[in-house]
Amino acid sequence: MSRLVLVINSGSSSIKYELVDVARERAVASGLVEQIGEPQGRLTHEYDGRTSEWQGEVTDHTHGLTLAYRTFAETGLDLDEAGVAAVGHRIVHGGKVFTQPTLITPEVVETIDRLADLAPLHNPANIIGIEVAREHFPDVPHVGVFDTGFFHTLPPAAAAYAIDADVAEEYGVQRYGFHGTSHEYVSEETARLLGRPRDEVNTIVLHLGNGASASAVRGGVAVETSMGLTPLEGLVMGTRPGDVDPGVLLHLGRHAGMDIADIDELLNRRSGLKGLSGVNDFRTVTERREAGDPRAALAYDVYVHRLRKYVGAYMAVLGRVDAITFTAGVGENAASVREDALAGLEGYGIEVDPAVNRVRGDHGRVVSTAASKTAVLVVPTNEELAIAKAAWEFV
Ligand code: ADP
């Protein structure tokens, strides 16, 4: 029987997909459709060590998925013949309803649609992905895996905002957290690499990609995370600011003539590294900083300072920290961020080994000294594999 699961991450203007062999825990093929709905769209597809590219207008998500489907066949892997056993869908917001991977039925789609108020850019795009994929694969289970799911265990003290409780209740205003699939996968991998049972290990996970979030995981259970009602709260990100005094927004509304749409645009597209330095890609920030650009230097410092604050806060939340684990594009690759964020914490039992930390690698590894009471690790995240495995459970 086929062990192939197609994973679909249908975003607002892009679709990421990966065909995963769950038995061998590896990607067979993967691809990305970008700039959907714009005049110049693009598809990049990888299979068998080759990259295929296509450029042109991708009118909508249906068109995008059809192109992907066709590219599979054209590059030698016909999905109809390969025998896809299940489709896993990344769904951004599960609200309080979806805490576990869920078999998708028409009722489930309706509920995801209702939750779109909480994630207006994401949930509708996720639903389109589900609908189109079900036309292509009507006879296999489709499973939704929710970004918020892993954080449904946040204790009330961590989940509640200290605002009028009636308003919060009526509008579902609480902290939900995001990137849950990654935090769960990475915290499990951390325990595995340390050779200890998951329920005995306390971990701080730092997921540092374009979006960035931190979590505190006690014995496999999430007890804190930096993202809130939306993915804006917490760490400094590529284009999002993380924590900001809400008074800043009131001030801009009153004095800068900004309305809700302007503030939305400021917070989602013109903040974070981009806002501080002009560019959102961490590599470019690093290059400019090394070339002496003061704005890039400040962006780096704010980024690292925020990380340290969260590490310190989560040490206090957990009490005992066995591991601090870095993941995603920046976390896996930027050795200086790992070193700078944890510098000077020897007194707390945290000691990065500078030489080991600088060795590049694509496998999970420990980068702290033997004397470090808290292990510091780098663990490549693999959300697609985690989603594929979750979907496979339903086959
Ligand atoms: P996404 O949230 O889109 O999945 P990724 O996890 O791919 O994001 O992370 C993207 C970020 O990782 C970008 O800011 C990119 O510059 C950064 N990054 C990738 N490779 C490196 C590297 N070698 N050094 C520093 N940063 C890197």
Side-chain angles (χ1 to χ4, degrees):
M1 179 186 188
S2 155
R3 297 247 175 158
L4 295 179
V5 175
L6 182 65
V7 174
I8 295 177
N9 179 353
S10 173
S12 51
S13 65
S14 70
I15 303 167
K16 276 190 204 166
Y17 58 88
E18 189 165 306
L19 186 67
V20 179
D21 180 338
V22 279
R24 295 161 73 189
E25 303 206 339
R26 66 177 194 91
V28 177
S30 63
L32 172 66
V33 186
E34 293 170 281
Q35 284 163 311
I36 296 172
E38 291 183 35
Q40 204 42 262
R42 183 166 54 175
L43 180 145
T44 321
H45 183 88
E46 295 198 20
Y47 172 58
D48 208 14
R50 275 168 310 173
T51 305
S52 322
E53 283 199 35
W54 177 93
Q55 293 206 0
E57 188 182 359
V58 186
T59 46
D60 54 21
H61 286 68
T62 311
H63 184 199
L65 273 172
T66 305
L67 282 172
Y69 200 74
R70 195 192 302 155
T71 309
F72 268 104
E74 283 171 4
T75 53
L77 181 82
D78 192 323
L79 283 180
D80 291 328
E81 286 163 19
V84 172
V87 182
H89 296 269
R90 178 194 180 207
I91 314 288
V92 168
H93 219 306
K96 288 194 241 183
V97 188
F98 299 112
T99 58
Q100 302 291 332
T102 303
L103 191 66
I104 288 172
T105 62
E107 295 75 48
V108 168
V109 173
E110 242 170 63
T111 312
I112 297 170
D113 189 31
R114 245 191 311 113
L115 293 167
D117 280 354
L118 293 169
L121 290 180
H122 294 104
N123 276 26
N126 297 158
I127 291 177
I128 297 172
I130 292 172
E131 283 170 350
V132 179
R134 286 171 101 200
E135 283 168 25
H136 281 299
F137 303 98
D139 302 321
V140 304
H142 287 246
V143 177
V145 179
F146 297 85
D147 245 40
T148 47
F150 182 55
F151 295 116
H152 81 279
T153 52
L154 290 194
Y161 285 111
I163 61 167
D164 183 319
D166 296 332
V167 173
E169 176 67 28
E170 186 173 351
Y171 294 97
V173 175
Q174 64 160 74
R175 307 187 60 252
Y176 293 96
F178 297 88
H179 292 146
T181 310
S182 175
H183 286 271
E184 182 172 21
Y185 174 84
V186 167
S187 56
E188 278 175 13
E189 278 294 292
T190 298
R192 199 181 60 77
L193 285 163
L194 295 177
R196 295 175 58 186
R198 183 177 81 149
D199 55 7
E200 283 177 15
V201 179
N202 292 352
T203 307
I204 296 173
V205 178
L206 303 168
H207 175 111
L208 312 176
N210 277 316
S213 60
S215 70
V217 182
R218 177 179 285 130
V221 177
V223 294
E224 245 302 2
T225 191
S226 58
M227 284 178 165
L229 173 77
T230 74
L232 278 173
E233 193 179 344
L235 302 176
V236 176
M237 311 182 212
T239 60
R240 289 171 257 163
D243 298 335
V244 172
D245 174 0
V248 169
L249 312 177
L250 300 177
H251 180 78
L252 294 175
R254 288 188 189 117
H255 301 288
M258 288 188 165
D259 62 14
I260 300 275
D262 297 329
I263 291 174
D264 189 319
E265 208 248 339
L266 175 79
L267 296 178
N268 278 299
R269 300 192 195 281
R270 287 197 286 137
S271 297
L273 297 172
K274 168 107 179 172
L276 284 164
S277 75
V279 286
N280 65 295
D281 192 284
F282 201 86
R283 280 165 295 199
T284 318
V285 173
T286 308
E287 281 160 23
R288 292 195 180 178
R289 171 177 172 253
E290 283 164 3
D293 176 347
R295 296 208 307 168
L298 178 65
Y300 180 89
D301 291 345
V302 175
Y303 187 96
V304 169
H305 176 75
R306 185 79 53 82
L307 261 182
R308 291 174 72 81
K309 278 212 304 198
Y310 270 88
V311 169
Y314 289 5
M315 283 162 67
V317 166
L318 287 171
R320 189 200 79 230
V321 184
D322 301 296
I324 299 173
T325 305
F326 289 83
T327 192
V330 177
E332 291 166 29
N333 295 297
S336 70
V337 169
R338 300 192 293 263
E339 197 171 324
D340 293 341
L342 302 178
L345 299 181
E346 295 80 7
Y348 294 98
I350 301 169
E351 208 174 280
V352 172
D353 184 325
V356 175
N357 183 45
R358 272 180 225 134
V359 178
R360 302 189 68 84
D362 54 8
H363 287 93
R365 58 201 186 274
V366 173
V367 297
S368 46
T369 64
S372 188
K373 275 201 295 192
T374 297
V376 180
L377 292 94
V378 180
V379 172
T381 192
N382 195 338
E383 289 159 286
E384 290 74 21
L385 176 62
I387 293 172
K389 282 179 158 180
W392 176 252
E393 303 272 301
F394 286 83
V395 174

